[in-house]
Amino acid sequence: MLRLCEAAGLDGADSAAYARTVLAALGPVADRPLDLPPPDDSFLSDDHTPVEFSLSFTPQGDPTLRVLLEPGCGAGDMARNGRAGLRVVREMARRWGFGTRPLDEVEDLFFPPDPQGPLALWCALELLPGGVPKLKVYLNPAASGQERSAGTVREALHRLGHHRAFASLPDGDRHLFLALDLGAWEEPRVKVYLAHHDLSAGEAAGLSRLDGGPGRRAVTSFFHTAAALPEADAAAGTDALDPPAPDLRLDRRPVQSCHAFTGTATGRPSGFTLYVPVRDYAAHDGEALDRAVSVLRDHGMDPVPLVRSVSALTSRRPEDGVGLIAYVGLAHHQGRPPRVTVYLSSEAYEVRKPAPAPAARTASVAGSGGPGPS
Ligand code: TRP
Protein backbone atom coordinates (compact mmCIF):
# COMPACT_ATOMS: atom_id res chain seq x y z
CA MET A 1 0.00 0.00 0.00
CA LEU A 2 2.82 2.42 0.82
CA ARG A 3 4.53 1.66 -2.47
CA LEU A 4 1.26 2.12 -4.35
CA CYS A 5 0.64 5.46 -2.64
CA GLU A 6 4.07 6.57 -3.78
CA ALA A 7 3.40 5.39 -7.34
CA ALA A 8 0.17 7.40 -7.29
CA GLY A 9 2.01 10.57 -6.24
CA LEU A 10 0.90 10.78 -2.58
CA ASP A 11 3.40 12.16 -0.08
CA GLY A 12 4.88 10.16 2.78
CA ALA A 13 2.67 11.61 5.50
CA ASP A 14 -0.58 10.97 3.62
CA SER A 15 0.57 7.49 2.66
CA ALA A 16 1.43 6.53 6.23
CA ALA A 17 -1.88 7.89 7.54
CA TYR A 18 -3.87 6.03 4.88
CA ALA A 19 -2.00 2.79 5.55
CA ARG A 20 -2.85 3.12 9.26
CA THR A 21 -6.48 3.79 8.38
CA VAL A 22 -6.68 0.63 6.29
CA LEU A 23 -5.08 -1.47 9.02
CA ALA A 24 -7.48 -0.05 11.61
CA ALA A 25 -10.48 -0.67 9.34
CA LEU A 26 -9.49 -4.30 8.85
CA GLY A 27 -9.22 -4.84 12.59
CA PRO A 28 -7.85 -8.16 13.84
CA VAL A 29 -7.37 -9.72 10.39
CA ALA A 30 -4.67 -7.13 9.68
CA ASP A 31 -2.50 -8.92 12.27
CA ARG A 32 -3.17 -12.39 10.91
CA PRO A 33 -0.09 -14.07 9.46
CA LEU A 34 -0.40 -14.56 5.72
CA ASP A 35 0.76 -18.17 5.96
CA LEU A 36 -2.57 -18.99 7.58
CA PRO A 37 -5.49 -19.49 5.17
CA PRO A 38 -7.72 -16.47 4.41
CA PRO A 39 -10.00 -15.59 7.36
CA ASP A 40 -13.08 -16.44 5.30
CA ASP A 41 -14.16 -16.82 1.69
CA SER A 42 -14.50 -13.08 1.07
CA PHE A 43 -16.14 -12.32 -2.27
CA LEU A 44 -14.11 -9.16 -2.53
CA SER A 45 -11.28 -10.82 -4.44
CA ASP A 46 -10.62 -14.17 -6.08
CA ASP A 47 -8.05 -15.31 -3.50
CA HIS A 48 -10.20 -13.90 -0.65
CA THR A 49 -7.83 -11.11 0.34
CA PRO A 50 -10.21 -8.53 1.84
CA VAL A 51 -8.40 -5.66 0.11
CA GLU A 52 -8.36 -4.56 -3.53
CA PHE A 53 -6.69 -1.50 -5.00
CA SER A 54 -7.70 0.52 -8.01
CA LEU A 55 -6.55 3.52 -9.96
CA SER A 56 -8.90 6.05 -11.46
CA PHE A 57 -7.45 7.93 -14.42
CA THR A 58 -8.52 11.18 -16.00
CA PRO A 59 -6.83 12.85 -18.95
CA GLN A 60 -5.10 15.31 -16.58
CA GLY A 61 -2.89 14.72 -13.58
CA ASP A 62 -2.00 11.76 -11.40
CA PRO A 63 -4.53 8.96 -11.13
CA THR A 64 -6.37 8.62 -7.83
CA LEU A 65 -5.55 5.53 -5.80
CA ARG A 66 -8.49 3.84 -4.16
CA VAL A 67 -8.69 0.91 -1.80
CA LEU A 68 -11.69 -1.37 -1.40
CA LEU A 69 -11.93 -3.37 1.79
CA GLU A 70 -14.16 -5.61 3.83
CA PRO A 71 -13.98 -4.46 7.45
CA GLY A 72 -16.04 -7.44 8.67
CA CYS A 73 -13.88 -10.07 7.03
CA GLY A 74 -13.27 -12.87 9.50
CA ALA A 75 -16.10 -11.76 11.80
CA GLY A 76 -17.68 -15.21 11.66
CA ASP A 77 -20.99 -14.75 9.88
CA MET A 78 -22.68 -12.19 7.67
CA ALA A 79 -24.61 -10.60 10.55
CA ARG A 80 -21.39 -9.94 12.49
CA ASN A 81 -19.59 -9.00 9.31
CA GLY A 82 -22.22 -6.34 8.63
CA ARG A 83 -22.16 -5.00 12.18
CA ALA A 84 -18.37 -4.72 12.07
CA GLY A 85 -18.64 -2.92 8.73
CA LEU A 86 -21.18 -0.43 10.04
CA ARG A 87 -19.10 0.24 13.12
CA VAL A 88 -15.99 0.92 11.06
CA VAL A 89 -17.80 3.18 8.59
CA ARG A 90 -19.33 5.21 11.43
CA GLU A 91 -15.97 5.51 13.14
CA MET A 92 -14.39 6.81 9.96
CA ALA A 93 -17.29 9.20 9.40
CA ARG A 94 -16.90 10.59 12.92
CA ARG A 95 -13.19 10.98 12.49
CA TRP A 96 -13.47 13.02 9.32
CA GLY A 97 -16.71 14.76 10.19
CA PHE A 98 -18.86 13.06 7.53
CA GLY A 99 -22.56 12.45 7.87
CA THR A 100 -23.92 8.92 7.41
CA ARG A 101 -27.52 9.90 6.73
CA PRO A 102 -27.94 7.95 3.44
CA LEU A 103 -26.65 4.82 5.13
CA ASP A 104 -28.88 5.36 8.16
CA GLU A 105 -31.95 5.71 5.89
CA VAL A 106 -31.49 2.30 4.30
CA GLU A 107 -29.76 0.35 7.06
CA ASP A 108 -32.71 -1.90 7.88
CA LEU A 109 -33.02 -2.98 4.23
CA PHE A 110 -29.46 -4.22 3.97
CA PHE A 111 -28.87 -5.51 7.50
CA PRO A 112 -31.71 -7.92 8.29
CA PRO A 113 -31.32 -10.21 11.32
CA ASP A 114 -30.22 -13.20 9.25
CA PRO A 115 -28.46 -11.72 6.22
CA GLN A 116 -27.39 -13.74 3.20
CA GLY A 117 -24.10 -13.26 1.36
CA PRO A 118 -21.97 -12.90 -0.61
CA LEU A 119 -21.15 -9.69 1.26
CA ALA A 120 -22.58 -7.51 4.00
CA LEU A 121 -20.65 -4.27 3.68
CA TRP A 122 -17.55 -3.17 1.85
CA CYS A 123 -16.10 0.27 1.88
CA ALA A 124 -13.75 2.06 -0.43
CA LEU A 125 -11.55 5.03 0.24
CA GLU A 126 -10.42 7.46 -2.43
CA LEU A 127 -6.98 8.39 -1.18
CA LEU A 128 -6.86 12.08 -1.98
CA PRO A 129 -3.84 14.21 -1.15
CA GLY A 130 -4.31 15.91 2.22
CA GLY A 131 -5.18 12.91 4.36
CA VAL A 132 -8.99 13.03 4.20
CA PRO A 133 -10.33 10.36 1.85
CA LYS A 134 -13.68 10.21 0.14
CA LEU A 135 -15.69 7.26 1.34
CA LYS A 136 -17.94 4.82 -0.51
CA VAL A 137 -20.03 2.09 1.06
CA TYR A 138 -21.15 -1.02 -0.84
CA LEU A 139 -24.20 -2.94 0.30
CA ASN A 140 -25.76 -6.24 -0.73
CA PRO A 141 -29.21 -6.00 -2.38
CA ALA A 142 -29.60 -9.76 -1.85
CA ALA A 143 -29.15 -9.52 1.94
CA SER A 144 -32.77 -10.66 2.37
CA GLY A 145 -32.54 -13.17 -0.47
CA GLN A 146 -31.79 -12.96 -4.15
CA GLU A 147 -35.52 -12.90 -4.94
CA ARG A 148 -35.94 -9.73 -2.87
CA SER A 149 -32.98 -7.85 -4.34
CA ALA A 150 -34.87 -5.87 -7.00
CA GLY A 151 -37.41 -4.77 -4.40
CA THR A 152 -34.65 -3.81 -1.99
CA VAL A 153 -32.94 -1.66 -4.61
CA ARG A 154 -36.23 0.00 -5.56
CA GLU A 155 -37.06 0.80 -1.94
CA ALA A 156 -33.56 2.08 -1.18
CA LEU A 157 -33.60 4.41 -4.20
CA HIS A 158 -37.03 5.62 -3.19
CA ARG A 159 -36.00 6.38 0.38
CA LEU A 160 -32.99 8.28 -0.87
CA GLY A 161 -35.24 10.53 -2.92
CA HIS A 162 -34.69 8.87 -6.30
CA HIS A 163 -38.33 8.00 -6.81
CA ARG A 164 -38.14 7.33 -10.52
CA ALA A 165 -34.63 5.91 -10.67
CA PHE A 166 -35.50 2.23 -10.48
CA ALA A 167 -37.69 2.42 -13.56
CA SER A 168 -34.87 3.95 -15.55
CA LEU A 169 -32.43 1.08 -14.96
CA PRO A 170 -31.70 -1.21 -17.91
CA ASP A 171 -32.34 -4.94 -17.69
CA GLY A 172 -29.65 -7.03 -16.07
CA ASP A 173 -29.26 -10.53 -14.71
CA ARG A 174 -28.73 -9.60 -11.07
CA HIS A 175 -28.48 -6.59 -8.75
CA LEU A 176 -24.98 -6.92 -7.32
CA PHE A 177 -24.36 -3.88 -5.15
CA LEU A 178 -25.92 -0.63 -4.04
CA ALA A 179 -23.26 1.96 -3.24
CA LEU A 180 -23.44 5.23 -1.33
CA ASP A 181 -20.97 8.11 -1.38
CA LEU A 182 -20.25 9.56 2.06
CA GLY A 183 -18.10 12.57 2.78
CA ALA A 184 -16.97 15.61 0.88
CA TRP A 185 -18.33 14.68 -2.54
CA GLU A 186 -19.42 17.53 -4.78
CA GLU A 187 -22.36 15.42 -5.86
CA PRO A 188 -22.78 12.31 -3.73
CA ARG A 189 -24.06 9.40 -5.78
CA VAL A 190 -26.27 6.42 -5.19
CA LYS A 191 -25.04 3.68 -7.49
CA VAL A 192 -26.67 0.47 -8.65
CA TYR A 193 -24.53 -2.34 -10.07
CA LEU A 194 -25.95 -4.95 -12.42
CA ALA A 195 -24.44 -8.18 -13.75
CA HIS A 196 -24.80 -9.04 -17.43
CA HIS A 197 -24.06 -12.59 -18.52
CA ASP A 198 -23.18 -13.36 -22.14
CA LEU A 199 -23.03 -9.70 -23.03
CA SER A 200 -21.98 -8.48 -26.47
CA ALA A 201 -20.40 -5.12 -27.24
CA GLY A 202 -23.54 -4.00 -29.01
CA GLU A 203 -25.67 -4.85 -25.99
CA ALA A 204 -23.18 -3.14 -23.69
CA ALA A 205 -23.58 0.03 -25.72
CA GLY A 206 -27.33 -0.13 -25.11
CA LEU A 207 -27.05 -0.21 -21.30
CA SER A 208 -26.39 3.45 -20.65
CA ARG A 209 -29.36 5.51 -19.54
CA LEU A 210 -27.44 8.80 -19.48
CA ASP A 211 -28.93 11.71 -21.31
CA GLY A 212 -26.69 12.41 -24.26
CA GLY A 213 -23.91 9.90 -24.06
CA PRO A 214 -21.66 7.97 -24.12
CA GLY A 215 -21.84 7.20 -27.81
CA ARG A 216 -22.17 3.60 -28.93
CA ARG A 217 -18.77 3.70 -30.52
CA ALA A 218 -17.06 4.75 -27.25
CA VAL A 219 -18.57 1.78 -25.43
CA THR A 220 -18.08 -0.88 -28.12
CA SER A 221 -14.50 0.15 -28.73
CA PHE A 222 -13.72 -0.02 -25.00
CA PHE A 223 -15.43 -3.40 -24.76
CA HIS A 224 -13.49 -4.80 -27.70
CA THR A 225 -10.15 -3.52 -26.43
CA ALA A 226 -10.65 -4.68 -22.84
CA ALA A 227 -11.78 -8.14 -23.88
CA ALA A 228 -9.46 -8.31 -26.92
CA LEU A 229 -12.30 -9.07 -29.26
CA PRO A 230 -11.76 -8.39 -32.93
CA GLU A 231 -13.32 -5.11 -34.00
CA ALA A 232 -16.09 -5.65 -36.49
CA ASP A 233 -14.95 -4.80 -39.97
CA ALA A 234 -16.04 -1.21 -40.28
CA ALA A 235 -16.12 -1.47 -44.06
CA ALA A 236 -18.58 -4.35 -43.94
CA GLY A 237 -21.52 -2.30 -42.79
CA THR A 238 -23.01 0.81 -44.19
CA ASP A 239 -23.27 2.31 -40.72
CA ALA A 240 -19.90 2.25 -38.99
CA LEU A 241 -21.52 3.35 -35.74
CA ASP A 242 -23.49 0.15 -35.58
CA PRO A 243 -21.11 -2.48 -36.91
CA PRO A 244 -22.62 -5.72 -38.14
CA ALA A 245 -22.27 -9.05 -36.37
CA PRO A 246 -20.45 -11.33 -35.65
CA ASP A 247 -20.94 -9.99 -32.19
CA LEU A 248 -18.92 -11.94 -29.64
CA ARG A 249 -20.23 -12.47 -26.16
CA LEU A 250 -18.36 -12.56 -22.87
CA ASP A 251 -19.58 -15.90 -21.56
CA ARG A 252 -17.38 -16.33 -18.50
CA ARG A 253 -17.53 -13.95 -15.56
CA PRO A 254 -20.26 -11.39 -16.26
CA VAL A 255 -19.63 -7.83 -17.30
CA GLN A 256 -21.03 -5.32 -14.79
CA SER A 257 -22.70 -2.00 -15.35
CA CYS A 258 -23.10 0.76 -12.81
CA HIS A 259 -25.74 3.47 -12.88
CA ALA A 260 -25.10 6.51 -10.71
CA PHE A 261 -27.88 8.81 -9.52
CA THR A 262 -27.24 12.29 -8.20
CA GLY A 263 -30.00 14.81 -8.92
CA THR A 264 -33.58 13.68 -8.61
CA ALA A 265 -35.15 16.00 -11.18
CA THR A 266 -35.17 13.72 -14.22
CA GLY A 267 -35.16 10.21 -12.74
CA ARG A 268 -32.27 9.43 -15.07
CA PRO A 269 -28.78 8.52 -13.95
CA SER A 270 -25.93 10.98 -14.34
CA GLY A 271 -23.22 8.34 -14.46
CA PHE A 272 -22.66 5.10 -16.35
CA THR A 273 -19.75 2.72 -15.91
CA LEU A 274 -18.96 -0.56 -17.61
CA TYR A 275 -16.60 -3.07 -15.95
CA VAL A 276 -14.99 -5.81 -17.99
CA PRO A 277 -13.55 -8.65 -15.84
CA VAL A 278 -10.44 -8.78 -17.96
CA ARG A 279 -8.92 -11.57 -15.85
CA ASP A 280 -11.38 -14.11 -17.18
CA TYR A 281 -10.71 -13.21 -20.79
CA ALA A 282 -6.91 -13.07 -20.80
CA ALA A 283 -4.30 -15.83 -20.67
CA HIS A 284 -2.07 -13.86 -18.29
CA ASP A 285 -1.63 -10.41 -16.78
CA GLY A 286 0.82 -9.37 -19.48
CA GLU A 287 -2.13 -9.42 -21.86
CA ALA A 288 -4.45 -7.80 -19.34
CA LEU A 289 -1.93 -5.03 -18.72
CA ASP A 290 -1.48 -4.39 -22.45
CA ARG A 291 -5.22 -3.99 -22.82
CA ALA A 292 -5.49 -1.64 -19.86
CA VAL A 293 -2.65 0.41 -21.35
CA SER A 294 -4.43 0.52 -24.73
CA VAL A 295 -7.66 1.67 -23.11
CA LEU A 296 -5.76 4.42 -21.29
CA ARG A 297 -3.99 5.54 -24.48
CA ASP A 298 -7.28 5.52 -26.38
CA HIS A 299 -8.53 8.08 -23.84
CA GLY A 300 -5.42 10.24 -23.88
CA MET A 301 -4.28 9.06 -20.44
CA ASP A 302 -0.75 8.33 -19.31
CA PRO A 303 -0.27 4.60 -18.64
CA VAL A 304 3.04 5.05 -16.77
CA PRO A 305 1.46 5.21 -13.27
CA LEU A 306 -0.34 1.93 -13.98
CA VAL A 307 2.84 0.15 -15.02
CA ARG A 308 4.60 1.59 -11.99
CA SER A 309 1.76 0.48 -9.73
CA VAL A 310 1.90 -3.08 -11.00
CA SER A 311 5.59 -3.28 -10.08
CA ALA A 312 4.82 -1.62 -6.75
CA LEU A 313 2.26 -4.29 -5.99
CA THR A 314 4.10 -7.46 -6.86
CA SER A 315 7.55 -8.71 -7.78
CA ARG A 316 6.18 -11.41 -10.05
CA ARG A 317 6.18 -10.93 -13.80
CA PRO A 318 2.73 -10.17 -15.23
CA GLU A 319 3.09 -13.19 -17.55
CA ASP A 320 3.41 -15.54 -14.57
CA GLY A 321 -0.15 -15.28 -13.38
CA VAL A 322 -3.60 -13.98 -14.19
CA GLY A 323 -5.94 -11.98 -11.97
CA LEU A 324 -3.66 -9.21 -10.78
CA ILE A 325 -5.69 -6.94 -13.05
CA ALA A 326 -9.21 -7.87 -12.05
CA TYR A 327 -11.34 -5.39 -13.99
CA VAL A 328 -10.93 -2.54 -16.41
CA GLY A 329 -13.72 0.02 -16.24
CA LEU A 330 -14.84 2.98 -18.30
CA ALA A 331 -16.85 5.60 -16.44
CA HIS A 332 -18.93 8.37 -17.96
CA HIS A 333 -20.37 11.15 -15.87
CA GLN A 334 -22.45 13.92 -17.34
CA GLY A 335 -20.45 17.01 -18.09
CA ARG A 336 -17.07 15.46 -17.28
CA PRO A 337 -14.42 13.70 -19.33
CA PRO A 338 -14.53 9.90 -19.13
CA ARG A 339 -12.48 8.12 -16.48
CA VAL A 340 -10.69 4.80 -16.87
CA THR A 341 -10.45 2.62 -13.78
CA VAL A 342 -8.15 -0.36 -13.34
CA TYR A 343 -8.63 -2.79 -10.43
CA LEU A 344 -5.54 -4.39 -8.93
CA SER A 345 -5.72 -7.49 -6.74
CA SER A 346 -3.61 -7.87 -3.63
CA GLU A 347 -2.82 -11.56 -4.30
CA ALA A 348 -1.92 -11.82 -0.62
CA TYR A 349 -2.94 -15.49 -0.60
CA GLU A 350 -2.68 -16.79 -4.10
CA VAL A 351 -1.67 -16.09 -7.65
CA ARG A 352 -3.90 -17.70 -10.26
CA LYS A 353 -1.84 -19.63 -12.80
CA PRO A 354 -1.82 -18.32 -16.34
CA ALA A 355 -4.10 -20.29 -18.61
CA PRO A 356 -4.91 -20.37 -22.27
CA ALA A 357 -8.15 -18.42 -22.32
CA PRO A 358 -10.15 -18.47 -25.50
CA ALA A 359 -11.67 -15.04 -25.38
CA ALA A 360 -15.35 -15.72 -25.94
CA ARG A 361 -17.66 -17.69 -28.11
CA THR A 362 -19.23 -16.40 -31.25
CA ALA A 363 -22.89 -15.67 -30.99
CA SER A 364 -25.17 -16.83 -33.72
CA VAL A 365 -25.51 -14.11 -36.27
CA ALA A 366 -29.25 -13.86 -36.02
CA GLY A 367 -30.98 -12.00 -38.80
CA SER A 368 -27.91 -10.10 -39.90
CA GLY A 369 -28.59 -8.46 -43.20
CA GLY A 370 -24.95 -7.64 -43.71
CA PRO A 371 -22.32 -9.85 -45.26
CA GLY A 372 -21.48 -12.75 -42.99
CA PRO A 373 -18.01 -14.02 -42.17
CA SER A 374 -16.53 -15.81 -45.14
N1 TRP B 1 -14.70 -9.71 -6.52
C1 TRP B 1 -16.00 -9.35 -6.97
C2 TRP B 1 -16.08 -9.52 -8.48
O1 TRP B 1 -15.12 -9.81 -9.12
C3 TRP B 1 -16.42 -7.94 -6.59
C4 TRP B 1 -15.55 -6.83 -7.08
C5 TRP B 1 -14.36 -6.44 -6.52
C6 TRP B 1 -15.79 -5.95 -8.18
N2 TRP B 1 -13.87 -5.38 -7.22
C7 TRP B 1 -14.70 -5.07 -8.24
C8 TRP B 1 -16.79 -5.84 -9.14
C9 TRP B 1 -14.59 -4.08 -9.24
C10 TRP B 1 -16.68 -4.85 -10.13
C11 TRP B 1 -15.60 -3.98 -10.18
O2 TRP B 1 -17.14 -9.40 -9.05
Side-chain angles (χ1 to χ4, degrees), residues 101-103 105-106 110 135-139 152-163 165-166 168-169 177-182 185 187-193 258-264 267-272 333:
R101 176 109 184 262
L103 180 60
E105 309 259 21
V106 300
F110 294 93
L135 184 57
K136 302 181 278 193
V137 178
Y138 296 83
L139 305 171
T152 299
V153 168
R154 187 195 296 114
E155 172 67 13
L157 288 167
H158 190 78
R159 286 195 200 170
L160 296 166
H162 297 286
H163 303 291
F166 188 82
S168 76
L169 291 169
F177 314 106
L178 183 123
L180 303 170
D181 287 344
L182 302 180
W185 295 84
E187 289 181 294
R189 302 156 301 174
V190 181
K191 296 182 291 182
V192 178
Y193 291 75
C258 170
H259 309 271
F261 296 91
T262 47
T264 53
R268 321 253 301 169
S270 53
F272 169 71
H333 195 95

Side-chain angles (χ1 to χ4, degrees), residues 69-281:
L69 49 104
E70 179 164 9
C73 176
D77 58 37
M78 279 297 151
R80 291 202 194 111
N81 185 315
R83 282 198 295 274
L86 285 170
R87 187 162 9 90
V88 166
V89 165
R90 293 199 164 111
E91 265 163 31
M92 291 195 285
R94 250 195 313 278
R95 169 152 166 227
W96 294 306
F98 302 164
T100 56
R101 176 109 184 262
L103 180 60
D104 306 341
E105 309 259 21
V106 300
E107 180 175 334
D108 61 302
L109 298 174
F110 294 93
F111 299 88
D114 186 19
Q116 319 215 349
L119 75 148
L121 181 152
W122 296 344
C123 64
L125 304 171
E126 301 229 343
L127 306 179
L128 305 173
V132 180
K134 290 203 265 189
L135 184 57
K136 302 181 278 193
V137 178
Y138 296 83
L139 305 171
N140 177 19
S144 297
Q146 196 61 60
E147 71 290 350
R148 310 259 299 262
S149 55
T152 299
V153 168
R154 187 195 296 114
E155 172 67 13
L157 288 167
H158 190 78
R159 286 195 200 170
L160 296 166
H162 297 286
H163 303 291
R164 287 180 295 158
F166 188 82
S168 76
L169 291 169
D171 285 340
D173 292 310
R174 220 147 26 97
H175 294 90
L176 289 170
F177 314 106
L178 183 123
L180 303 170
D181 287 344
L182 302 180
W185 295 84
E186 253 170 63
E187 289 181 294
R189 302 156 301 174
V190 181
K191 296 182 291 182
V192 178
Y193 291 75
L194 299 170
H196 307 276
H197 289 275
D198 292 318
L199 194 73
S200 70
E203 289 163 352
L207 292 174
S208 170
R209 294 293 178 271
L210 288 195
D211 275 327
R216 288 185 70 79
R217 184 78 203 164
V219 177
T220 56
S221 138
F222 162 71
F223 191 98
H224 284 132
T225 306
L229 298 176
E231 285 277 1
D233 179 359
T238 45
D239 182 1
L241 293 179
D242 194 6
D247 212 358
L248 298 169
R249 293 172 182 282
L250 298 191
D251 61 352
R252 298 183 169 197
R253 195 186 300 263
V255 169
Q256 295 187 21
S257 67
C258 170
H259 309 271
F261 296 91
T262 47
T264 53
T266 65
R268 321 253 301 169
S270 53
F272 169 71
T273 306
L274 201 65
Y275 301 93
V276 173
V278 57
R279 66 195 184 284
D280 277 47
Y281 302 94

Side-chain angles (χ1 to χ4, degrees), residues 284-286 310 314-322 324 347 351 354:
H284 56 72
D285 282 306
V310 166
T314 178
S315 53
R316 77 163 172 86
R317 297 185 320 151
E319 294 70 27
D320 292 341
V322 65
L324 185 69
E347 296 187 336
V351 175

